[in-house]
Structures are given as C-alpha cells and as structure tokens.
Amino acid sequence: GTTPVSIDGNTAAQIMSTGWGRGNTNAGSASIIYNKTAGMLFIGSYNFTLDGRYLDTETIDLGHGFASRPATFGFRYMYAPAGGESFRAYAVLEDRSTGSVKELARAEITDGAAVSSMTQKTIPFVYNDEYKYTKATHITIYFISSTASEPTLNRTENKMRCGSTLTID
C-alpha cells in the first residue's frame, strides 16, 4: 500500500489502504476482498505469513538508531479519507541501552480532515520528565493511512480496491 509518487517535482510516499490477496475480485459491490489493510510507512522491519488467502500473522519491529533530542516532528502531507476515517502519524524517542525500552518523548497526531494540497505539519515532542536527562538511542517514525480496524475501500485504482490515501513528503 506504499508507493513513490511525484508531487510538485518532489518524490513523496503515497500510503494507501488496499484490498489484497490471491482470489480477490473487482466487481463493484459484488467484489470479494480477502484482506483490507491500511497502508503503513515506518522505520523498522516487517514480516508476515498467510494462511491460504488470509493474513495470518504479522510482525513489525519499529525503530532505528538515533541520538538526538529534537523539539518537533515535521512533515508535509496530503490526505484523502474514505468512510470518515483518520490517519495517524507519530515519532517516539527511546532509550534502549539497558535492554528495556524507555519512552523519552512522543509527537503524535490523528486527523480525519481532507487535505488536498501538500501542507506542512509540525508537532512538538512531549518529553517525559522522568527521563529528561536520559540520552536517546532510537527513534520510531510511523504513518498509517487509516486507524479503522477494517478500512473502507471505496474506489478502484489500477485494478486495485483502495481507500484512505495519505501522501507524505
């Protein structure tokens, strides 16, 4: 559900909710969609298994080495929601030096408003007073096109059933 797109001469990531899997059909209201999944973009790794046509298990390991303590999390975005859905974006600073994860700070937004042109969003990090002198070792950055447990897929694009679309630059 994530592909590169050109916006205003820049390359951005288009994150789209999709229906996928072997045996899906695209017949309007009679379509068969086995897996409805929100598109994700994140720092980390992803693995999954299928049980026949259906998603069985998925594992997401988030995070990347990072030693700074920024004041804000910023990005440019557009959003086309489907079915009254919202997107979610967040960045988390962590200390993983002791084998456990300590959340030092978080910047987060959930929003369902349609945004039709690239718009700057800047979210302040809220730091945890308990760890105000702790050094960061990792950052997690995560974007998802829909917070719905089963995303709405209301249009067909390139023979694919699609829903909410979040574009990030």
Side-chain angles (χ1 to χ4, degrees), residues 5-6 19 24 41 65 69 80 84 90 101 125 132 135 169:
V5 294
S6 180
N24 285 348
L41 176 66
R69 290 177 62 108
Y90 67 84
V101 177
F125 274 99
K132 65 182 171 185
K135 291 185 178 185
D169 181 8

Side-chain angles (χ1 to χ4, degrees), residues 1 15 17 46 48 50-52 55 58 62 65 70 74-75 85-86 103-104 110 112 127 135 137 146 161 163 167:
I15 308 161
S17 299
Y46 176 80
F48 70 95
L50 294 177
D51 179 11
L55 180 65
E58 63 182 346
L62 298 172
F75 54 92
E85 296 174 357
S86 296
E103 186 174 302
L104 308 181
T110 301
Y127 280 85
K135 291 185 178 185
T137 63
S146 173
R161 294 292 287 181
T167 304

Side-chain angles (χ1 to χ4, degrees), residues 34-104:
Y34 291 105
N35 298 284
K36 296 177 181 180
T37 306
M40 295 179 282
L41 176 66
F42 57 88
I43 294 175
S45 63
Y46 176 80
N47 291 295
F48 70 95
T49 61
L50 294 177
D51 179 11
R53 295 180 178 166
Y54 296 95
L55 180 65
D56 184 36
T57 62
E58 63 182 346
T59 305
I60 300 172
D61 293 317
L62 298 172
H64 181 72
F66 190 78
S68 296
R69 290 177 62 108
T72 61
F73 169 48
F75 54 92
R76 289 181 353 119
Y77 79 107
M78 292 189 308
Y79 188 55
E85 296 174 357
S86 296
F87 77 90
R88 182 175 179 215
Y90 67 84
V92 177
L93 299 174
E94 300 168 328
D95 171 28
R96 298 183 186 179
S97 65
T98 62
S100 63
V101 177
K102 296 175 190 158
E103 186 174 302
L104 308 181

